[in-house]
């Protein structure tokens, strides 16, 4: 699709984004919260080529690649992507482009949402699941050689790998764009993008919020990337709730301290839930534990159930990167403050927007 230029409505949406972020928190608790709908109006016109630092973005490997202006502009594009209909001009903007998805670890939402994003925009998909088992990696081929080879077949590569730093290694050996879809216990920047977008859509602001991060904070790449990304906004406070063996890494704590953001640790989930805007629950990741007894000792300590929802403020939300096991009970799903399935759907729109940006369309 030819570049249209940033529309007036898209520019106004970006300005309104900043204005809405001046809101303050509400701590009113309601036993019957109102039905949840997005508090942010959708853009109606597809922006053209970006004006912020997005125009120079060559890959998506780390959360720190994005600043506030880039995030705000990307969210305007994501809003427009949510309105793309089959058969429209926008639905063919990536026709002729090919995306390779190389996943060395299991994935449902991330892989399918990337492939769905490419398909909804008319692009083609080359996919391999369990790449470590069914690709030439099983024969001993290095990641770098695999990436160099796959670059010759496609225009953009989406990589999930079990080693921290793998996406950066991949990006360093090719000229085309690489998207990090999760690198072991390292980062998951596109999850952070969709999480940040979800918070904005649910609360109507990203400044002046308090975020509780719960669960496996040592191995959870999603919470690491999200904490880093939220430092692009003002007056964001963090509370970490985790078993001792999976506490938030010192590197993230040091980053927050260095940037002037307040963080604390707590073992009282109910107390934290009563005062946060966002309660972000994560799964204790069994696959990251060498000692299975240690895993069992961590499971079930901090669960979001009806007791937690009873103290959660009416305008707050519960998020989860999914999949979940039992760390959020299923009776919570019907509560309008349970945002995790809306969160997963937002991943499609964010990834559509990111593909457009990285392919310079």
């Amino acid at each position: 699709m030819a570049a249209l230029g940033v529309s007036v409505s898209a520019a106004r949406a970006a300005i309104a984004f900043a204005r809405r972020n001046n809101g303050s928190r509400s701590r009113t608790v309601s036993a019957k919260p109102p039905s949840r709908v997005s508090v942010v109006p959708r853009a109606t016109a597809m922006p053209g080529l970006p004006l912020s630092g997005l125009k120079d973005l060559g890959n998506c490997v780390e959360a720190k690649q994005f600043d506030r202006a880039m995030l705000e502009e990307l969210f305007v594009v994501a809003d427009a992507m949510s309105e793309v209909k089959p058969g429209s001009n926008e639905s063919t903007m990536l026709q002729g482009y090919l995306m390779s998805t190389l996943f060395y670890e299991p994935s449902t939402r991330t892989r399918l949402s990337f492939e769905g994003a490419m398909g909804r925009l008319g692009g083609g998909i080359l996919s391999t699941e369990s790449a470590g088992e069914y690709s030439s990696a099983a024969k001993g081929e290095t990641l770098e050689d695999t990436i160099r080879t796959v670059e010759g077949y496609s225009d953009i590569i989406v990589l999930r790998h079990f080693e921290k730093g793998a996406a950066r290694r991949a990006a360093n050996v090719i000229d085309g764009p690489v998207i990090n879809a999760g690198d072991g216990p390292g980062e998951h920047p596109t999850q952070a993008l969709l999480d940040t977008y979800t918070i904005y859509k649910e609360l109507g602001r990203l400044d002046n919020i308090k975020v509780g991060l719960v669960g496996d904070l040592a191995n959870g790449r999603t919470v690491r990337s999200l904490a880093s990304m939220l430092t692009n906004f003002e007056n964001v406070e963090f509370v970490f709730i985790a078993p001792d063996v999976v506490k938030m890494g010192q590197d993230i704590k040091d980053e927050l301290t260095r940037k002037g953001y307040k963080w604390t640790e707590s073992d009282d989930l109910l107390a934290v839930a009563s005062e946060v805007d966002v309660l972000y629950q994560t799964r204790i990741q069994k696959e990251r534990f060498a000692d299975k007894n240690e895993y069992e000792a961590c499971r079930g300590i901090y669960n979001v159930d009806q007791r937690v929802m009873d103290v959660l403020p009416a305008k707050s939300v519960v998020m989860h990167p999914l999949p979940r096991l039992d760390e959020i009970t299923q009776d919570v799903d019907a509560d309008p403050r349970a945002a995790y399935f809306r969160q997963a759907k937002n991943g499609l729109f964010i990834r559509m927007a990111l593909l457009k940006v990285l392919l310079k369309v």
Side-chain angles (χ1 to χ4, degrees):
M1 187 180 86
L4 302 178
V6 176
S7 68
V8 172
S9 61
R12 287 174 177 166
I15 293 169
F17 183 107
R19 288 176 177 169
R20 278 190 295 271
N21 271 309
N22 290 326
S24 59
R25 291 195 296 269
S26 171
R27 295 293 174 221
T28 304
V29 179
S30 171
K32 295 182 178 180
S35 298
R36 177 75 64 171
V37 295
S38 173
V39 297
V40 180
R42 289 180 171 180
T44 56
M46 182 66 64
L49 294 175
L51 302 177
S52 68
L54 289 178
K55 67 181 184 297
D56 301 316
L57 191 68
N59 53 54
C60 176
V61 175
E62 300 158 335
K64 66 182 180 183
Q65 291 176 262
F66 295 86
D67 61 26
R68 180 173 185 140
M70 294 166 72
L71 293 171
E72 290 177 352
E73 188 169 23
L74 186 69
F75 294 168
V76 172
V77 181
D79 281 347
M81 288 299 180
S82 71
E83 300 289 344
V84 171
K85 299 294 189 293
S88 65
N89 289 336
E90 290 80 7
S91 72
T92 61
M93 69 170 64
L94 297 185
Q95 188 171 17
Y97 289 91
L98 285 174
M99 176 186 73
S100 290
T101 52
L102 279 173
F103 279 66
Y104 290 77
E105 286 189 319
S107 171
T108 301
R109 278 151 295 278
T110 302
R111 185 170 66 88
L112 292 181
S113 65
F114 265 116
E115 293 176 0
M118 193 66 172
R120 281 178 178 259
L121 296 177
I125 300 155
L126 304 175
S127 182
T128 176
E129 190 176 14
S130 302
E133 184 177 355
Y134 297 113
S135 75
S136 290
K139 303 174 184 178
E141 183 174 58
T142 66
L143 173 65
E144 286 80 359
D145 282 0
T146 299
I147 293 295
R148 289 187 182 102
T149 301
V150 173
E151 182 190 25
Y153 307 147
S154 56
D155 302 289
I156 189 166
I157 297 173
V158 181
L159 174 68
R160 169 167 287 187
H161 202 275
F162 50 85
E163 291 182 355
K164 184 177 180 179
R168 173 53 63 192
R169 285 166 50 200
N172 286 343
V173 297
I174 64 172
D175 295 325
V178 171
I179 298 177
N180 181 1
D183 59 343
E187 287 214 42
H188 198 342
T190 67
Q191 181 72 45
L193 289 171
L194 75 90
D195 290 344
T196 305
Y197 180 60
T198 298
I199 294 170
Y200 167 57
K201 297 291 285 185
E202 295 288 329
L203 301 183
R205 68 185 192 280
L206 286 161
D207 296 318
N208 306 310
I209 62 174
K210 188 170 185 177
V211 181
L213 301 178
V214 188
D216 191 343
L217 307 187
N219 299 306
R221 55 199 174 201
T222 62
V223 288
R224 293 171 55 82
S225 292
L226 178 60
S228 182
M229 189 164 286
L230 287 176
T231 63
N232 286 292
F233 302 94
E234 297 178 3
N235 193 28
V236 180
E237 182 179 343
F238 301 88
V239 185
F240 304 138
I241 309 103
D244 287 341
V245 297
V246 287
K247 286 186 177 295
M248 179 62 81
Q250 191 60 45
D251 59 332
I252 297 297
K253 296 175 183 176
D254 289 344
E255 178 185 354
L256 297 178
T257 299
R258 185 175 66 254
K259 293 180 176 179
Y261 287 82
K262 181 180 178 181
W263 62 268
T264 56
E265 294 183 305
S266 175
D267 60 4
D268 190 338
L269 179 57
L270 286 176
V272 172
S274 70
E275 61 183 25
V276 295
D277 300 291
V278 178
L279 190 65
Y280 192 106
Q281 174 70 291
T282 65
R283 172 179 64 92
I284 302 295
Q285 299 186 31
K286 183 177 181 179
E287 65 272 22
R288 309 290 181 200
F289 283 79
D291 183 343
K292 299 310 178 186
N293 291 327
E294 196 172 70
Y295 163 72
E296 291 297 338
C298 289
R299 270 193 71 186
I301 296 178
Y302 299 112
N303 288 348
V304 175
D305 54 19
Q306 192 55 52
R307 292 184 312 130
V308 173
M309 301 306 290
D310 285 344
V311 301
L312 188 74
K315 294 184 179 180
S316 298
V317 292
V318 175
M319 297 173 60
H320 192 303
L322 303 176
R324 69 165 166 191
L325 299 180
D326 53 5
E327 63 275 3
I328 298 180
T329 57
Q330 292 189 5
D331 58 327
V332 172
D333 296 354
D335 193 299
R337 294 167 295 177
Y340 29 91
F341 293 115
R342 297 191 295 273
Q343 177 185 352
K345 186 175 182 180
N346 286 336
L348 176 67
F349 308 135
I350 278 290
R351 288 165 177 141
M352 290 169 73
L354 188 61
L355 290 173
K356 178 184 187 299
V357 166
L358 288 175
L359 290 170
K360 314 299 183 187
V361 176

